[in-house]
Amino acid sequence: MSPRRTSCLLAVLGLFVTLLAAPARAAEDLPFRDPALSLSRRVDDLLGRLTLTEKISLLHQYQPAIPRLGIGLFKTGTEALHGVAWSTNIDNGGAVVTADGTVFPQAVGLASTWDPALIKQVGTAVGTEARGFNARNPRVWGLNLWAPVVNLLRDPRWGRNEEGYSEDPTLTGAMSVAYGSGIQGDDPDHLRAAPTLKHYLANNNEVRRDTSNSSLRPRVEQEYDQAAFKPAIAADAATGVMASYNLVNGRPATVNPDLNDVARSWTRRDLMNVTDAHAPNNLVNSQAYYPTLTEGDAAALKAGIDSYTTDDTNAAPTVNAITAALSQGLVTVADIDRAVRHLLSIRFRLGEFDPGGGRYGSITPDVINSPAHRALNRRTAAAATVLLKNSGRALPLSPSTRKVAVIGPLSDTLYTDWYSGALPYQVTPLAGIRERLGTGATVTGTEGADRIALKNVATGRYVTAGAGASGAVLTEGGTTAGDTAKFDAFDWGQGVLTLRSAANGKFVGYNWSSFVNDQSQPNGWFVQQQFKLEPQSDGTYLFRYAGYETAYDWFGPNKYLAPNADGTLVLTTADQAAKFTKEVVTDGTAAAVAAAKSADAAVVVVGSMPFINGREDHDRTDMNLAEGQEALVKAVTKANPKTVVILENSYPTTINWLQANVPAILWTTHAGAETGHALADVLFGDTNPAGRLPQTWYRSAADLPDILNYDIIKSNATYLYSRATPLYPFGHGLSYTTFAYAGLKLNAPSVRPDGTVTATVKVTNTGRAAGDEVVQLYTHQRTSRTKQPVKQLRAFQRVHLTPGQTKTVTLTFKAADLALWDVTRNRWSVEKSPHDVMVGSSSTAIHQRTTLTVQGETIPPRDLSRPTQATTFDDHSTAELADLTKTTGDTVATTPGTWLAYNSTLLPSPTTFTATTSTQTPATRVELRQDSPTGKLLATLTPHQPPTSTPTPPPQPP
């Protein structure tokens, strides 16, 4: 009997026994349905009524209905990163169902508002629409939302940069609290919806994401990565975490003991922790961490996982694995009860077992994409827009501007991303500007893309697409370039093009057998609408399909196009590929230049395609603006000095030439259906831009360490430790007005470790336009036993000021926020030290500063007479942290030449040096040196040999 059939039999037997012992009371009268009882009593009552088989069945993502108790299906995981996005349908084999509600700006754009109050409103709208979708179809649209993503944007090349908030834990924490609390609602006992934080922990690369190791020395883990997750959990603004795919210190995050030991220590509420999709199977397959799924699932349950997202809608492998783990003694009934209690606690708070669905049960589908949510979306998209540059007051555009050329590949389209819903309507930049200027103005639109035709040199025939809405298979057609042989070629950088058929406006894609012009935009897990035209020495081109994703080698050598016998284009090898000439039917740049020359102002909209330039499972390897797009900007700027560039993308971009030569530059994320309205509001001064960058924009990728290097302290990464001069610093953003700062004061010149610091500063609008200023407070610790950040954000506030108005802005932080993780004693410590307190408009634009004396402690020297964990080093070279055991503890993995530094140590005299290592290689040699890796040799150690030593100096900190 197959495992699946076995699980079905067990379920039937369990139901049969239950029917025999059916309670006399009706299900609707049972105590767990009484909202007057406490949550714990209700959970206890229901937990006690479930059979063991039923409890185990609830551990899968699709928690089945239990008809005898009147309990329906409950599904964990509706995606809702910046609006309700998509879910899956158990009644249709787990098929994806895309939402048609409000799509807000991407998460990195939400953070660029630096406005938690606004983002809480966004979260409220998302939670409300989640209820609306749930009312539409509760079997598809569950109320456990997988959002927000709070992984720090440590490396801007991360493919999922658009999903996170910031490189800074303070800003990330504030945004996650705002979004999560908005989703949940303000009632502590009832949830509008239940947000889950993604992805715990240190998940900031896609390359080898299921097997790469995020090596986190204790300070980085405590002060940086965990610091991003704690605020929302501690504020009860999230109901659980999703474990990430990667390894953390050599151990898969799916079995990270932090899920219990750390995350649950931040709150008294029950958390419902989930796995990422298919991650339990990785434990056995790609990670090979456990030999069987039974052992892997058992370890995950023990570590703190409550819900297994795996095997799509098929719960049998999970049910069978947990059942076997129980019979083998790998887990206990208490372990299962604990996880089920966590699951039920969230379901109760969602009102599932209350009359009428509880406090939020009356919300109907009418809330989806409501006029109020559209208005909020427009306001949010405008608030998120960042003015990067504005020389000569190029913006806002003059009221006399009546002729505008709107140019570029993103000028008249809006793209969605992997975690977007479908746009119920679209206001493109071109449409928004036309609407804003109204009748009597001349607004010219051109995408600046070449319209081309491709002719096979050997046959003399053109590549031809279909004219109907569903397109047709690409073939070689006639010997003249008719409408069906013309394609608009869009450049996304590094040679990658998308081809949109002029015949029907659809993109060409590959459907695993043929090439068809039937796609509304590039999309899919494997983005099969990507091509390259590779120039040959004879002036021809090879037509290369690039949708196989360059990070994978499974596609084989058949990457080039050639016709088969009937003229249909198929894949073949490079040596068998057809050679094509590229005929430029319409020169996109020339058309753009002509439009720009005749306009009062040119607005060029360039940027990224979210499915191509960086996304889940695909990191960026290049931070530059696409070559063709930069060339377009250069040509337009030369043609019309009154050029404004709108950069619409999801991450920092190296735009050094633009910064040096273009008068005005705006940045926005892919901001949803209201993008065009919001941009027009900003361009014409109806909204004064006040967005601020939530991460550093670098001048070059050379300023970044390897993407797999998570040690931001050692590698001088992020604004916290970087010494590089950025293109745009963290917190940067300009305004149409100017602000002056004065009179920074602290509530006291010194503070105790348990105290609170209150800073006040006067901010005056010294310009002629009303606007918002984002007042940012940073600190720097001057003295310490260890390396400190250059500066670190502690508080911020977005304030509105009319011309000439002065406001006293109050910013507070706790002295405990200044603590470092003391590796010598494995605890937090507020050190005694003077701190610079700096207030300004970005991390580098500091306008006021003062000094704060922190009356903390002096961390004593290490006492090496006691065992010292190798992981508690202060500095290192080539060290990587690994797992001590499969369940707990960290150790240091070394290679020849690795050194570890332990500062401020006392060496008792005489000294015996011992070390515990896992290697038995005779050639292994451990040296103990004073002051530096080349300092005085104090002792050496090789396996199975006593140490040799030299006389040690008297006890003193070296």
Side-chain angles (χ1 to χ4, degrees):
M1 184 178 290
S2 70
R4 183 171 184 175
R5 290 181 178 177
T6 301
S7 67
C8 292
L9 178 61
L10 289 173
V12 171
L13 290 176
L15 178 60
F16 179 70
V17 172
T18 300
L19 289 174
L20 290 178
R25 298 173 62 183
E28 60 268 20
D29 295 330
L30 296 174
F32 74 83
R33 294 193 177 275
D34 184 358
L37 298 178
S38 68
L39 175 63
S40 61
R41 286 188 61 188
R42 297 176 75 187
V43 172
D44 285 344
D45 180 72
L46 178 53
L47 187 64
R49 295 178 186 279
L50 296 173
T51 67
L52 182 57
T53 299
E54 289 168 341
K55 292 174 185 177
I56 294 174
S57 74
L58 298 180
L59 299 179
H60 189 261
Q61 177 187 20
Y62 287 93
Q63 301 174 30
I66 304 176
R68 70 182 184 88
L69 294 174
I71 297 173
L73 170 76
F74 183 89
K75 172 186 173 291
T76 64
T78 293
E79 299 292 354
L81 182 61
H82 51 112
V84 179
W86 52 268
S87 188
T88 51
N89 186 354
I90 192 173
D91 300 318
N92 188 23
V96 171
V97 182
T98 304
D100 57 357
T102 309
V103 178
F104 289 94
Q106 292 176 312
V108 71
L110 297 180
S112 70
T113 68
W114 288 60
D115 191 344
L118 177 62
I119 301 312
K120 184 175 181 180
Q121 293 179 49
V122 173
T124 300
V126 175
T128 301
E129 292 201 8
R131 280 281 175 175
F133 281 106
N134 181 257
R136 179 187 288 179
N137 188 340
R139 292 181 63 80
V140 172
W141 302 105
L143 292 172
N144 170 229
L145 308 186
W146 285 351
V149 170
V150 297
N151 296 110
L152 292 161
L153 306 183
R154 168 193 61 94
D155 193 305
R157 295 167 297 190
W158 184 34
R160 304 181 75 169
N161 194 85
E162 67 199 30
E163 298 182 37
Y165 288 133
S166 169
E167 69 184 89
D168 176 76
T170 296
L171 181 58
T172 296
M175 292 297 124
S176 61
V177 168
Y179 193 69
S181 60
I183 285 173
Q184 290 188 178
D186 294 325
D187 185 334
D189 298 318
H190 300 88
L191 298 168
R192 183 185 288 114
T196 299
L197 305 183
K198 295 168 32 173
H199 312 80
Y200 193 93
L201 182 73
N203 177 200
N204 188 227
N205 64 274
E206 297 304 292
V207 58
R208 304 192 306 276
R209 63 178 181 168
D210 57 333
T211 57
S212 63
N213 180 38
S214 300
S215 179
L216 302 181
R217 59 196 287 188
R219 281 193 63 201
V220 174
E221 182 172 22
Q222 296 282 343
E223 298 173 21
Y224 192 62
D225 287 287
Q226 286 184 5
F229 281 83
K230 182 176 180 179
I233 298 294
D236 291 326
T239 58
V241 301
M242 173 187 284
S244 54
Y245 283 122
N246 54 289
L247 313 183
V248 178
N249 294 347
R251 183 181 296 107
T254 307
V255 292
N256 188 342
D258 280 7
L259 297 169
N260 265 333
D261 301 343
V262 176
R264 289 195 160 103
S265 72
W266 294 332
T267 178
R268 295 182 179 180
R269 290 280 191 181
D270 281 330
L271 298 180
M272 181 178 73
N273 295 334
V274 305
T275 73
D276 208 335
H278 307 292
N281 294 346
N282 291 345
L283 293 170
V284 179
N285 298 327
S286 62
Q287 294 165 344
Y289 203 69
Y290 287 98
T292 67
L293 188 62
T294 294
E295 292 167 275
D297 279 5
L301 188 72
K302 300 285 274 189
I305 289 295
D306 306 307
S307 179
Y308 293 76
T309 314
T310 188
D311 300 301
D312 300 320
T313 62
N314 181 15
T318 299
V319 169
N320 292 339
I322 296 297
T323 302
L326 184 64
S327 67
Q328 295 173 27
L330 299 176
V331 299
T332 66
V333 173
D335 294 325
I336 295 169
D337 282 354
R338 182 173 58 251
V340 174
R341 181 180 297 277
H342 297 152
L343 300 170
L344 293 179
S345 176
I346 302 305
R347 293 179 66 170
F348 272 103
R349 292 178 65 196
L350 286 167
E352 179 181 348
F353 307 116
D354 291 352
R359 175 172 178 177
Y360 300 105
S362 61
I363 295 175
T364 67
D366 296 342
V367 301
I368 298 171
N369 191 36
S370 67
H373 291 172
R374 293 187 182 196
L376 175 63
N377 196 14
R378 177 173 181 167
R379 183 156 56 94
T380 303
T385 304
V386 181
L387 181 59
L388 296 175
K389 180 185 179 183
N390 193 24
S391 64
R393 295 184 178 178
L395 289 177
L397 295 176
S398 168
S400 63
T401 302
R402 305 303 295 163
K403 296 177 66 177
V404 179
V406 185
I407 297 164
L410 286 95
S411 63
D412 198 27
T413 189
L414 297 180
Y415 288 124
T416 56
D417 60 58
W418 185 257
Y419 289 102
S420 290
L423 298 178
Y425 63 98
Q426 296 188 32
V427 183
T428 68
L430 176 60
I433 292 170
R434 278 181 172 158
E435 180 183 324
R436 172 62 176 75
L437 287 178
T439 58
T442 300
V443 179
T444 304
T446 178
E447 294 172 301
D450 288 344
R451 177 161 289 186
I452 64 172
L454 299 171
K455 183 171 69 174
N456 187 330
V457 174
T459 65
R461 295 185 177 276
Y462 287 88
V463 175
T464 305
S470 58
V473 173
L474 263 62
T475 60
E476 288 193 354
T479 56
T480 59
D483 288 341
T484 56
K486 298 173 184 177
F487 299 89
D488 297 321
F490 294 92
D491 178 7
W492 301 111
Q494 297 180 288
V496 172
L497 304 173
T498 53
L499 299 174
R500 187 183 64 197
S501 171
N504 69 350
K506 297 291 185 67
F507 287 91
V508 176
Y510 184 59
N511 62 11
W512 301 103
S513 62
S514 303
F515 294 95
V516 184
N517 60 315
D518 63 349
Q519 300 294 304
S520 59
Q521 73 162 55
N523 61 81
W525 186 257
F526 296 106
V527 186
Q528 304 194 74
Q529 299 82 24
Q530 300 179 80
F531 300 90
K532 293 184 178 182
L533 292 175
E534 297 184 348
Q536 304 300 296
S537 58
D538 60 0
T540 64
Y541 294 85
L542 297 187
F543 193 2
R544 178 172 174 172
Y545 169 63
Y548 48 82
E549 307 295 328
T550 55
Y552 295 87
D553 59 6
W554 52 265
F555 201 82
N558 296 329
K559 301 174 182 178
Y560 293 86
L561 278 69
N564 63 12
D566 66 0
T568 301
L569 291 183
V570 295
L571 289 172
T572 186
T573 57
D575 61 324
Q576 297 296 316
K579 287 188 174 183
F580 294 89
T581 58
K582 181 180 73 171
E583 298 179 7
V584 177
V585 179
T586 303
D587 186 324
T589 300
V593 166
K597 283 181 176 179
S598 63
D600 298 331
V603 177
V604 187
V605 191
V606 293
S608 68
M609 200 286 132
F611 279 84
I612 292 176
N613 294 113
R615 57 181 169 77
E616 184 169 359
D617 208 37
H618 190 78
D619 290 319
R620 288 191 297 159
T621 57
D622 184 315
M623 295 204 302
N624 298 322
L625 183 63
E627 299 87 347
Q629 294 187 30
E630 183 164 308
L632 178 67
V633 172
K634 289 179 178 179
V636 172
T637 303
K638 182 179 180 180
N640 188 335
K642 295 182 179 179
T643 293
V644 175
V645 169
I646 295 172
L647 186 61
E648 186 178 334
N649 65 16
S650 313
Y651 35 71
T653 307
T654 49
I655 53 170
N656 300 327
W657 187 93
L658 276 68
Q659 170 60 25
N661 296 279
V662 176
I665 307 171
L666 288 167
W667 173 71
T668 179
T669 60
H670 296 277
E674 289 288 337
T675 298
H677 279 150
L679 289 173
D681 290 342
V682 171
L683 287 169
F684 291 96
D686 301 324
T687 295
N688 190 342
R692 300 292 183 263
L693 295 179
Q695 60 188 135
T696 305
W697 286 43
Y698 296 91
R699 294 182 180 274
S700 168
D703 294 333
L704 295 168
D706 186 276
I707 195 171
L708 296 178
N709 186 346
Y710 277 74
D711 189 347
I712 65 168
I713 299 175
K714 178 69 176 180
S715 63
N716 293 325
T718 79
Y719 88 97
L720 293 167
Y721 292 95
S722 178
R723 302 284 179 173
T725 301
L727 179 63
Y728 304 116
F730 173 78
H732 171 75
L734 305 177
S735 172
Y736 294 156
T737 190
T738 55
F739 301 95
Y741 288 67
L744 175 61
K745 295 181 181 179
L746 304 181
N747 58 324
S750 64
V751 65
R752 295 177 56 83
D754 59 351
T756 298
V757 179
T758 301
T760 57
V761 65
K762 293 181 179 179
V763 182
T764 302
N765 183 340
T766 55
R768 295 176 291 182
D772 291 0
E773 172 70 319
V774 178
V775 184
Q776 304 166 38
L777 185 149
Y778 298 84
T779 66
H780 168 69
Q781 184 172 330
R782 293 184 188 172
T783 61
S784 175
R785 72 165 298 279
T786 191
K787 185 176 180 179
Q788 284 290 325
V790 175
K791 60 173 66 73
Q792 185 164 359
L793 181 71
R794 302 299 182 183
F796 62 91
Q797 187 176 342
R798 181 165 171 156
V799 295
H800 183 75
L801 295 166
T802 58
Q805 183 181 13
T806 298
K807 283 187 178 179
T808 298
V809 179
T810 301
L811 302 164
T812 63
F813 61 94
K814 296 179 180 179
D817 296 339
L818 306 175
L820 61 81
W821 183 256
D822 175 18
V823 294
T824 71
R825 296 173 294 175
N826 293 315
R827 66 174 178 84
W828 291 102
S829 173
V830 177
E831 289 186 293
K832 178 182 179 180
S833 174
H835 287 247
D836 296 314
V837 178
M838 300 162 281
V839 175
S841 52
S842 81
S843 58
T844 61
I846 302 301
H847 305 305
Q848 292 278 290
R849 64 176 65 230
T850 189
T851 300
L852 172 71
T853 300
V854 178
Q855 299 173 0
E857 65 173 334
T858 299
I859 297 174
R862 293 176 184 265
D863 183 359
L864 293 188
S865 66
R866 300 178 179 180
T868 298
Q869 291 178 296
T871 57
T872 64
F873 53 80
D874 291 293
D875 196 4
H876 71 99
S877 173
T878 69
E880 182 169 354
L881 273 70
D883 53 333
L884 184 62
T885 70
K886 288 186 181 297
T887 57
T888 188
D890 298 335
T891 187
V892 178
T894 64
T895 56
T898 297
W899 55 260
L900 307 170
Y902 302 84
N903 298 341
S904 303
T905 59
L906 285 176
L907 293 175
S909 183
T911 298
T912 298
F913 169 49
T914 60
T916 301
T917 65
S918 59
T919 181
Q920 299 299 317
T921 304
T924 299
R925 175 184 173 92
V926 180
E927 297 180 347
L928 183 66
R929 291 182 178 271
Q930 186 174 358
D931 293 332
S932 75
T934 58
K936 181 180 180 181
L937 180 64
L938 303 179
T940 60
L941 179 69
T942 55
H944 309 299
Q945 295 180 3
T948 62
S949 61
T950 58
T952 59
Q956 60 180 347

